Amino acid sequence: MRKLFLLDAMALIYRAHFAMSKNPRINARGLDTGAVLGFTNTLLEVLHKEQPTHIGVAFDSPKKTFRHEQYADYKANRQAMPEALALAIPYAKRVTAAFGIPVLILDGFEADDIIGSLAKRAEAHGFEEIYMMTPDKDYCQLVTEKARILRPAFMGNAAEVIDIPKVLARFEIERVQQVVDILGLMGDASDNIPGIPGIGEKTAKALIQRFGSVENLIANADQLKGKQQENVVNFAQQGLLSKELATIHTDVPLPFEPENLQYTGPQEAVLRELFEELEFKQLLQRVLGAEAAGARAVANQLKKAAPLPPKTREQGKGDKVAGGQLDMFGTPAAPLDAATETDEVVRETGEGESDELVIQSLNHSVTPSKKTLRDLPHRYHLLETAEDRALLIRYLGAQTAVAFDTETTSTDALTATLVGMSFCYQPGEAYYVPVPPTDRAATLAIVAEFKEVLENPALTLIGQNIKYDWLVMHHHGLTLQGRLWDTMLAHYLLEPEQRHGMDALAEAYLDYTPIPITDLIGPKGKDQLTMADLAPARVYAYACEDADVTLRLKALFEKQLEEQNQLGLLLDLEGPLVPVLARMEEEGITVDVAALATVSTQLGAEIKELEGQVYATAGEEFNLGSPKQIGEVLFDKLKIGSGKVKKTKTGQYATGEEILSELAAEGHAIAQLLLDHRQLTKLKSTYVDALPQLIRPADGRVHTTFNQAVAATGRLSSTNPNLQNIPIRTEKGREIRRAFVPRDAGHLLLAADYSQIELRIMADFSGDETMRAAFANGLDIHTATAAKIFHIALDAVTPEQRRRAKTANFGIIYGISAFGLAQRLKIPRKDAAALIDAYFEEFPKVKAFMDQCVNQARDDEYATTLLGRRRYLRDINSRNQTQRSFAERNAINAPIQGTAADIIKRAMIDIHAWLDASPELQTRMILQVHDELVFDVPLAEVAVVSEKIAALMVQALPLPGGTPMEVEIGLGDNWLKAH
């Protein structure tokens, strides 16, 4: 029987890269070959274990796809591809070809479109077994009776075949075709597919169960209620577009010729040369048989390879004590990294025989997996009596550091109900204290017993995302004191661009897989439980493990931070900032719903008016949310853009923002009208109509979440809502700030904003006398810059010259090119190049500083801020010019922007400490957005608070060269006025 395997190369390479990124495998030429090795092993496993008759490997095209033409922001949030991964892709293609397997790629299409199209045609050609090998859930829409998904084995999880029943069960649907309806409704953050606001996976499943499809849902929106009905009506076109973007196309113009996909074996000479280049010595010997000079084919060689004898060890089993007298100072259990593995692949990927050992998994002599709780000695205790709690408290009181974690009913810390607390002060031994979640009085009484421990200022409390635990405990009567040591923040400092979740950290650093929460409460969906639904006996091992793993991670990260001189950054800045942000999240900010409603009505009217103007210009009505219909009107009917018409790979006209902007610049009024319509529609849906839905009924305020461990620069970000991105450059965007107001008529909003902080840091770090003097003397820096580069007096500078100088100040120091500057200023490129030359001629120390930043980063592969925060720049020496240039710009940007972030964080800590030490003051810090802090201030406190806040911000972190900071204070009865 013919068996066709179609492999999603990009997904497999990504998976291999990130699985091996902690222990990179570097060959003699300095090439990181880990991702190539992982991909090759997956390929070999398919060839050996599955023995396909036909096989192909699909790659994404590096060019934009037809989806980008449909939606300009498709995948816009994707981070730049790591250098090692980018270098692995060409090698993966060479490996594939060397094995005699077709490399499947087509410009304008993604790998899933190629695989979907070939799977469909293979089925039409009579193939009975078709397997699409990928970890991507989106492929579920392609599953048929003959075409299934093969999810590869990974991180201890066995390989899995996903057929129609599994798809239907996974998505809770009746037909496979409905997968794409669910994907369209819920959207996809990684691909930046918007979906319909307010609809997550659970709601999407329920709606599709009820209505069957996105189209039918929209047609029957009148059956919905409240905000859900409003969102479905207002975002109907966005929902349809999202469904289209999520749909894997099965009509890719690739020929299907079965003989071209038939597997006949490798090109041994090519494969040998490639393996030697990659230094896969053991792999070369096993696959091709070095001593036999490649006399046998790969499949036969793999079958005959003799397995190495497995390792053995005694498996220690820990005691799980429930109640009773506890030996608090008993012999600690062995640390996670002290145990050897049973029948497992050694996962070191540097020196030695790692590639040989990985191959053993193909012969089933060893099974790659992480350690779990079953493998390790441990003593976890469930404490359910007052006597046991008292004993634990006594011993906790004798400690200097304790790992602490909470179990709750929700991921929303402000509304979560406490279920239990876990403690760990020595590896392998931990304690879980449950509370009755349905009896708040009893819960508060148990929590109060731990007051002397959790409010002990001399104790170091270790947590993973400890701000969450701080908020939960504060809601239950205690304020965590002492030094807060957060393993999430520690890892953020060590590796700012990687994942910081506890499970990921445990697997990467401890080679350990914690108990999945779904083992306790079940998978996401309508039947998922909460911790409150479980008996403490089912929870305590999971809870104790969290505290235990956190304590072990702390020991590892503390050592690494010390080695990198970043421990002070954690202990003196990031840690002390945690309670500051927690208080701000609790406080929230009042939103004037009536003001937003007014703006929404105004925007709605303007959008309607724009629609009418578009229809009048076009001479007909059409769907303004349909790129297809827009293209037909613009190019088929109106015949505009002659000679510049672009089409997508599917033959549809391209009508993205770039195309419309070009047409508008040529004087085509309808193009500008369409751009204005899109801008106002997005503003209305994303901000004006969404903000009221985020108001908490309990206090009538919006409570954003501040994220410390997201932005690689060190800046804070915020979510639900994202207040960092509220638009202020347009008049309509600024109106949104008008809706943020003080708590009552007796308060004002105070906005304190650092003035030109990044330029001041540049002046200080570079030592440029002209820039420093301008700031020291209180001159307008942009006017001073214009006078310098245009060689004129200060009072002779024109507004246009100042504008050019301002753009140069904020662009050139971050590596803007002549082309980029020309675009921003709308001037010829030669004039922009002359402006850059003049700038560097007049500010030579700025150029010298920029060059120094880049050269230092080339040596270190990272840049540092004033306080030692690192931004890793692993692409700084890349052979890829685009990636190298991006890293070079970050080498200049990171020290400046990161230092600015450190300064405002220090100011927040100092201001919070001052307010905390002044109980007579009722002023509250409520927002941080970029270089601005916002406060809710009683009228009677305005004078004293304004002066003190400005002083603390100016003095927060003095620059080494003495360049002064300046803070602008604004007051108003809404944020717009205060700003």
Side-chain angles (χ1 to χ4, degrees):
M1 181 181 294
R2 296 182 299 176
K3 291 173 61 176
L4 170 63
F5 280 77
L6 298 168
L7 280 62
D8 184 343
M10 304 306 291
L12 298 175
I13 296 169
Y14 263 93
R15 185 190 68 156
H17 168 74
F18 288 107
M20 308 180 86
S21 60
K22 283 298 173 186
N23 296 295
R25 177 191 177 92
I26 309 298
N27 68 8
R29 297 190 302 148
L31 178 68
D32 184 348
T33 61
V36 186
L37 175 61
F39 171 79
T40 305
N41 284 328
T42 300
L43 200 58
L44 283 168
E45 184 165 10
V46 171
L47 294 175
H48 169 67
K49 186 177 179 181
E50 306 296 342
Q51 296 186 353
T53 61
H54 297 73
I55 186 170
V57 179
F59 289 80
D60 289 343
S61 165
K63 297 184 179 180
K64 288 188 175 182
T65 71
F66 65 91
R67 292 184 179 88
H68 291 93
E69 302 293 345
Q70 292 174 317
Y71 183 56
D73 290 335
Y74 180 63
K75 294 190 176 181
N77 295 334
R78 286 281 179 96
Q79 296 183 351
M81 184 181 294
E83 164 75 3
L85 202 155
L87 292 175
I89 293 173
Y91 277 104
K93 292 177 181 177
R94 290 175 60 189
V95 167
T96 302
F99 271 103
I101 298 172
V103 173
L104 309 171
I105 187 168
L106 184 64
D107 286 347
F109 296 93
E110 296 176 70
D112 52 6
D113 299 308
I114 294 172
I115 289 175
S117 298
L118 294 182
K120 179 181 179 180
R121 289 167 195 161
E123 191 167 348
H125 276 73
F127 278 76
E128 293 291 331
E129 291 191 58
I130 304 163
Y131 294 94
M132 301 168 286
M133 192 168 190
T134 179
D136 188 350
K137 71 178 186 305
D138 291 2
Y139 279 77
C140 288
Q141 65 186 275
L142 301 174
V143 171
T144 68
E145 291 290 347
K146 298 177 181 178
R148 306 170 184 87
I149 295 171
L150 175 60
R151 189 185 298 275
F154 187 57
M155 305 294 273
N157 297 318
E160 179 187 14
V161 174
I162 300 176
D163 54 13
I164 291 177
K166 287 186 177 180
V167 172
L168 301 183
R170 162 69 176 81
F171 288 91
E172 302 172 25
I173 50 180
E174 296 179 352
R175 306 183 308 277
V176 169
Q177 292 77 9
Q178 292 172 314
V179 169
V180 74
D181 290 282
I182 291 176
L183 296 177
L185 283 179
M186 61 188 281
D188 187 332
S190 65
D191 287 345
N192 203 35
I193 297 176
I196 291 182
I199 299 182
E201 182 175 356
K202 181 178 179 180
T203 304
K205 289 178 179 177
L207 290 173
I208 296 306
Q209 288 169 6
R210 181 178 175 187
F211 295 101
S213 69
V214 174
E215 291 81 0
N216 199 41
L217 167 66
I218 294 170
N220 293 278
D222 58 332
Q223 298 182 30
L224 303 175
K225 296 180 180 179
K227 189 62 181 178
Q228 187 176 81
Q229 181 190 67
E230 185 179 336
N231 282 344
V232 171
V233 171
N234 291 341
F235 297 93
Q237 294 305 319
Q238 182 170 295
L240 293 171
L241 173 62
S242 297
K243 177 178 177 179
E244 172 62 20
L245 292 172
T247 299
I248 296 175
H249 283 224
T250 58
D251 55 357
V252 171
L254 272 178
F256 181 77
E257 299 173 353
E259 60 274 13
N260 292 338
L261 294 172
Q262 188 168 354
Y263 183 64
T264 57
Q267 304 175 49
E268 294 189 1
V270 177
L271 191 61
R272 179 181 302 282
E273 181 180 355
L274 180 56
F275 278 8
E276 288 174 350
E277 178 183 343
L278 293 168
E279 297 178 17
F280 291 172
K281 298 178 182 178
Q282 300 298 330
L283 196 59
L284 173 63
Q285 182 173 345
R286 289 208 164 269
V287 175
L288 295 180
E291 60 282 309
R296 292 180 295 274
V298 174
N300 291 333
Q301 181 66 20
L302 283 171
K303 291 177 183 178
K304 296 181 179 180
L308 297 178
K311 298 178 181 179
T312 59
R313 69 168 172 87
E314 290 294 321
Q315 293 194 19
K317 295 292 182 182
D319 299 321
K320 296 187 177 182
V321 182
Q325 190 73 16
L326 306 177
D327 178 10
M328 296 290 178
F329 290 99
T331 304
L336 292 178
D337 54 3
T340 52
E341 299 177 352
T342 301
D343 295 349
E344 291 181 351
V345 172
V346 176
R347 285 199 172 268
E348 287 296 330
T349 54
E351 301 292 335
E353 307 298 315
S354 60
D355 54 344
E356 178 179 13
L357 291 176
V358 173
I359 286 299
Q360 300 311 303
S361 67
L362 304 183
N363 297 296
H364 308 288
S365 61
V366 287
T367 304
S369 63
K370 303 287 185 182
K371 294 184 289 290
T372 66
L373 191 61
R374 293 189 300 272
D375 304 316
L376 300 168
H378 62 277
R379 296 195 300 181
Y380 290 169
H381 311 283
L382 173 61
L383 310 185
E384 296 187 281
T385 68
E387 292 78 14
D388 287 343
R389 293 196 297 269
L391 183 61
L392 173 62
I393 290 167
R394 177 156 64 89
Y395 286 122
L396 290 176
Q399 309 306 315
T400 58
V402 173
F404 174 69
D405 189 43
T406 58
E407 298 305 330
T408 66
T409 58
S410 170
T411 56
D412 183 348
L414 295 179
T415 60
T417 297
L418 185 67
V419 174
M421 303 172 287
S422 54
F423 303 86
C424 180
Y425 57 84
Q426 58 183 0
E429 185 154 16
Y431 310 87
Y432 179 63
V433 177
V435 300
T438 57
D439 187 340
R440 183 165 175 82
T443 292
L444 294 178
I446 294 174
V447 168
E449 295 175 13
F450 289 83
K451 182 179 180 67
E452 64 184 77
V453 174
L454 296 176
E455 293 192 347
N456 177 9
L459 181 67
T460 295
L461 275 176
I462 306 155
Q464 166 73 18
N465 188 16
I466 203 167
K467 175 158 65 71
Y468 177 89
D469 304 297
W470 193 102
L471 286 164
V472 169
M473 297 311 296
H474 200 243
H475 180 57
H476 289 79
L478 291 188
T479 301
L480 301 186
Q481 301 287 345
R483 174 166 282 174
L484 301 182
W485 213 110
D486 193 328
T487 50
M488 178 185 74
L489 296 179
H491 187 255
Y492 167 65
L493 294 176
L494 292 169
E495 292 288 352
E497 296 185 80
Q498 293 189 6
R499 295 183 300 161
H500 313 297
M502 193 197 77
D503 288 359
L505 297 180
E507 292 189 344
Y509 289 90
L510 302 175
D511 199 34
Y512 181 84
T513 299
I515 301 169
I517 191 171
T518 51
D519 283 4
L520 278 71
I521 63 175
K524 288 183 179 180
K526 61 183 179 181
D527 297 325
Q528 189 176 51
L529 306 174
T530 72
M531 287 296 192
D533 298 317
L534 305 177
R538 291 192 60 195
V539 175
Y540 85 96
Y542 173 90
C544 287
E545 182 189 56
D546 279 357
D548 188 7
V549 168
T550 299
L551 183 68
R552 298 173 192 266
L553 289 171
K554 186 259 187 182
L556 290 175
F557 293 160
E558 186 168 44
K559 181 179 179 181
Q560 293 182 32
L561 288 170
E562 285 178 339
E563 292 171 350
Q564 297 183 8
N565 296 316
Q566 293 194 92
L567 186 58
L569 190 58
L570 176 71
L571 300 182
D572 301 330
L573 190 73
E574 298 293 355
L577 187 63
V578 168
V580 180
L581 298 177
R583 293 275 193 177
M584 292 168 65
E585 290 179 14
E586 279 187 327
E587 197 65 35
I589 185 169
T590 305
V591 173
D592 186 341
V593 177
L596 284 176
T598 300
V599 175
S600 180
T601 300
Q602 292 172 349
L603 288 176
E606 292 183 40
I607 291 169
K608 193 71 176 175
E609 182 179 348
L610 284 170
E611 288 178 357
Q613 293 179 32
V614 170
Y615 296 154
T617 306
E620 66 174 277
E621 292 190 7
F622 58 98
N623 184 353
L624 300 191
S626 168
K628 181 176 184 292
Q629 293 184 34
I630 290 174
E632 290 170 350
V633 169
L634 293 181
F635 305 119
D636 287 342
K637 179 178 181 179
L638 300 181
K639 308 293 184 182
I640 68 175
S642 177
K644 296 184 178 180
V645 177
K646 297 180 181 179
K647 288 191 175 183
T648 68
K649 294 297 180 181
T650 57
Q652 181 176 302
Y653 289 114
T655 59
E657 183 176 348
E658 182 179 351
I659 300 293
L660 292 179
S661 296
E662 290 177 2
L663 294 174
E666 294 173 2
H668 298 291
I670 191 171
Q672 187 60 54
L673 291 171
L674 288 167
L675 285 170
D676 293 343
H677 181 271
R678 287 183 183 179
Q679 179 190 42
L680 295 188
T681 301
K682 181 176 181 180
L683 192 66
K684 185 176 185 294
S685 62
T686 305
Y687 298 104
V688 177
D689 293 341
L691 275 172
Q693 307 308 311
L694 298 173
I695 295 174
R696 291 189 185 275
D699 57 13
R701 283 179 247 172
V702 167
H703 298 261
T704 189
T705 297
F706 291 100
N707 306 306
Q708 279 177 270
V710 172
T713 59
R715 284 186 178 272
L716 296 172
S717 67
S718 68
T719 48
N720 295 323
N722 180 358
L723 300 179
Q724 309 284 340
N725 286 346
I726 290 182
I728 59 172
R729 293 183 179 179
T730 64
E731 180 183 351
K732 298 300 180 184
R734 286 192 293 272
E735 285 300 308
I736 297 173
R737 289 198 172 200
R738 195 184 300 279
F740 289 84
V741 297
R743 67 189 58 212
D744 55 40
H747 288 70
L748 286 176
L749 291 187
L750 182 153
D753 196 358
Y754 278 108
S755 174
Q756 299 168 338
I757 184 173
E758 294 184 0
L759 289 177
R760 293 172 186 269
I761 294 169
M762 169 58 85
D764 196 89
F765 285 6
S766 68
D768 187 90
E769 294 84 357
T770 301
M771 293 183 75
R772 283 189 176 185
F775 287 122
N777 296 323
L779 299 178
D780 178 80
I781 187 62
H782 305 310
T783 301
T785 301
K788 190 79 172 172
I789 60 179
F790 294 117
H791 305 290
I792 55 178
L794 285 170
D795 57 5
V797 173
T798 67
E800 175 59 22
Q801 288 171 326
R802 183 186 182 278
R803 184 179 76 89
R804 293 191 179 191
K806 180 177 180 179
T807 304
N809 274 328
F810 287 115
I812 293 175
I813 62 174
Y814 294 135
I816 195 171
S817 64
F819 176 76
L821 188 61
Q823 281 193 318
R824 289 194 189 183
L825 292 174
K826 293 182 171 41
I827 60 176
R829 189 184 301 188
K830 65 177 182 178
D831 292 348
L835 182 60
I836 292 175
D837 292 341
Y839 188 98
F840 286 138
E841 184 176 343
E842 296 302 327
F843 299 102
K845 288 191 175 180
V846 171
K847 182 66 166 66
F849 170 74
M850 294 168 61
D851 292 341
Q852 177 190 342
C853 288
V854 172
N855 291 332
Q856 188 66 47
R858 285 199 181 108
D859 292 337
D860 299 335
E861 293 197 342
Y862 62 83
T864 59
T865 68
L866 184 60
L867 293 182
R869 183 186 304 278
R870 294 186 179 187
R871 174 76 186 271
Y872 286 95
L873 305 166
R874 296 182 171 96
D875 292 339
I876 192 78
N877 295 306
S878 170
R879 289 171 289 182
N880 183 302
Q881 183 178 354
T882 301
Q883 293 175 343
R884 185 176 65 250
S885 297
F886 181 76
E888 289 171 351
R889 290 193 294 273
N890 278 332
I892 301 165
N893 173 281
I896 297 172
Q897 192 174 105
T899 296
D902 291 345
I903 289 173
I904 199 166
K905 285 180 176 179
R906 170 50 57 193
M908 294 170 71
I909 294 167
D910 293 346
I911 293 169
H912 178 267
W914 172 65
L915 291 173
D916 221 28
S918 309
E920 72 280 4
L921 297 177
Q922 298 303 308
T923 293
R924 297 290 181 264
M925 182 162 45
I926 56 176
L927 287 181
Q928 187 277 339
V929 178
H930 304 310
D931 304 323
E932 177 183 9
L933 297 176
V934 181
F935 301 83
D936 205 343
V937 185
L939 294 174
E941 297 176 13
V942 166
V944 62
V945 166
S946 298
E947 182 179 355
K948 186 65 176 180
I949 287 173
L952 289 172
M953 290 177 70
V954 166
Q955 301 162 8
L957 185 61
L959 297 175
T963 303
M965 285 293 157
E966 182 178 321
V967 173
E968 298 173 348
I969 299 291
L971 295 162
D973 59 6
N974 62 64
W975 189 9
L976 180 62
K977 287 183 181 179
H979 181 77

